[in-house]
């Protein structure tokens, strides 16, 4: 949370996305295109001898190649806020010191209510400075946005059940309850065999034993009826052709 020019609090809430990995690329102007793996708010990217870092740089397609520590996460670094384009938060993080005065990672999060995260290209400004800038469009940079952990912008949580699954669960639960209560009633009040007389304690046994044969018979009658209609149509087509 930072103060804007009017002394109002502005918050970039990424609490539900800690450790979420964003991947961006540079333009390959240095001779090879690089992937930048950015773990939000966490040093969670394995980077060879550098251990786990927040931002790791590798040559694109070479997951086992050299890895450079572009930045380490530092929770004490506050962003700079600008009200442009609905809200912008610019951070600056420091990585390894093997390049000039140290590698610097400067992501700018810009409000875009239509996307969760959309990183742009990584730019080394100025060239050879080891200072890497990237623009990331995200709905979380918009004023008043609350971080919610969702798989995507337009899909519901995988933990939510669809209407079909709810119906199936209710159906199975209802059948189980029906058979359990029916079995107990049959064992206590109808049959003399007690709970051990499984066959005779099934509620509406005749109905269920006849259910499958009746279903098969119904399907057979339906099939014959449909085949009869199809044959009738073919006969009418032939008679029409002979008449012509």
């Amino acid at each position: 949370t930072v103060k804007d020019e009017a002394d109002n609090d502005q918050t970039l809430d990424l609490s539900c996305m800690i450790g979420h990995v964003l991947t961006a690329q540079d333009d390959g102007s240095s001779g090879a295109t690089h992937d930048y793996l950015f773990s939000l708010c966490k040093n969670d990217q394995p980077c060879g001898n550098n251990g786990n870092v927040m931002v790791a740089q590798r040559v694109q397609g070479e997951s086992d190649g050299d890895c450079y520590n572009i930045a380490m996460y530092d929770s004490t670094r506050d962003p700079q806020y600008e009200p442009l384009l609905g809200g912008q938060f610019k951070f600056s993080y420091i990585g390894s010191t093997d390049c000039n005065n140290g590698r610097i990672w400067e992501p700018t999060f810009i409000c875009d209510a239509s996307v969760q995260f959309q990183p742009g290209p990584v730019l080394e400004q100025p060239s050879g400075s080891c200072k890497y800038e990237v623009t990331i469009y995200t709905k979380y940079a918009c004023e008043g946005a609350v971080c919610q952990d969702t798989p995507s912008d337009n899909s519901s949580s995988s933990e939510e059940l669809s209407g079909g699954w709810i119906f199936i669960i209710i159906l199975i639960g209802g059948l189980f309850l029906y058979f359990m209560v029916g079995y107990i009633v049959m064992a206590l009040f109808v049959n003399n065999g007690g709970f051990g007389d499984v066959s005779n304690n099934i509620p509406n046994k005749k109905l269920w034993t006849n259910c499958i044969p009746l279903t098969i018979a119904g399907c057979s009658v339906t099939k014959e009826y449909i085949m009869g209609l199809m044959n009738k149509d073919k006969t009418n087509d032939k008679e029409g052709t002979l008449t012509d």
Side-chain angles (χ1 to χ4, degrees):
T1 301
V2 294
K3 297 287 187 180
D4 59 17
E5 294 179 352
D7 203 34
N8 296 318
D9 288 339
Q10 299 294 337
T11 301
L12 176 64
D13 181 13
L14 298 178
S15 58
C16 68
M17 304 303 296
I18 293 176
H20 182 80
V21 179
L22 303 180
T23 302
Q25 291 82 32
D26 57 25
D27 58 4
S29 58
S30 62
T33 301
H34 298 88
D35 284 331
Y36 296 80
L37 305 177
F38 178 17
S39 293
L40 294 176
C41 308
K42 190 176 183 180
N43 295 323
D44 204 30
Q45 278 302 310
C47 190
N49 295 331
N50 296 299
N52 285 358
V53 302
M54 182 177 72
V55 183
Q57 180 202 65
R58 295 181 184 273
V59 175
Q60 192 173 51
E62 297 184 6
S63 58
D64 296 329
D66 292 337
C67 181
Y68 294 94
N69 173 14
I70 301 301
M72 300 292 291
Y73 177 62
D74 184 351
S75 61
T76 64
R77 289 186 170 270
D78 293 327
Q80 297 177 357
Y81 176 79
E82 294 289 342
L84 303 175
L85 301 177
Q88 299 184 14
F89 296 83
K90 183 175 182 179
F91 293 82
S92 182
Y93 296 100
I94 298 174
S96 62
T97 58
D98 61 340
C99 180
N100 296 331
N101 294 322
R103 299 181 186 273
I104 299 175
W105 177 253
E106 292 191 343
T108 300
F109 296 87
I110 299 179
C111 169
D112 186 339
S114 65
V115 295
Q116 188 175 46
F117 293 105
Q118 182 177 310
V122 177
L123 304 176
E124 189 177 4
Q125 300 284 4
S127 179
S129 65
C130 296
K131 181 180 179 182
Y132 307 92
E133 299 179 354
V134 61
T135 297
I136 302 171
Y137 293 93
T138 174
K139 61 185 180 182
Y140 300 123
C142 300
E143 185 174 358
V146 178
C147 195
Q148 296 179 346
D149 190 2
T150 55
S152 65
D153 293 338
N154 299 319
S155 63
S156 61
S157 172
S158 60
E159 295 180 357
E160 294 180 359
L161 294 175
S162 65
W165 276 113
I166 293 175
F167 171 77
I168 291 173
I169 292 172
I170 293 175
L171 177 62
I172 294 175
L175 288 173
F176 179 77
L177 183 63
Y178 163 79
F179 280 106
M180 287 296 296
V181 174
Y183 188 93
I184 294 173
V185 171
M186 294 291 288
L188 293 178
F189 303 105
V190 180
N191 295 324
N192 296 324
F195 286 95
D197 190 2
V198 177
S199 177
N200 291 323
N201 286 339
I202 297 175
N204 297 315
K205 179 181 178 181
K206 291 183 178 179
L207 171 65
W208 296 112
T209 54
N210 291 329
C211 183
I212 295 178
L214 290 174
T215 302
I216 295 174
C219 292
S220 298
V221 171
T222 303
K223 177 184 177 183
E224 291 177 1
Y225 177 75
I226 294 174
M227 294 299 294
L229 291 177
M230 294 175 63
N231 292 331
K232 183 178 180 181
D233 290 339
K234 291 180 180 178
T235 302
N236 292 336
D237 290 342
K238 289 182 180 179
E239 290 177 353
T241 302
L242 292 174
T243 302
D244 295 338

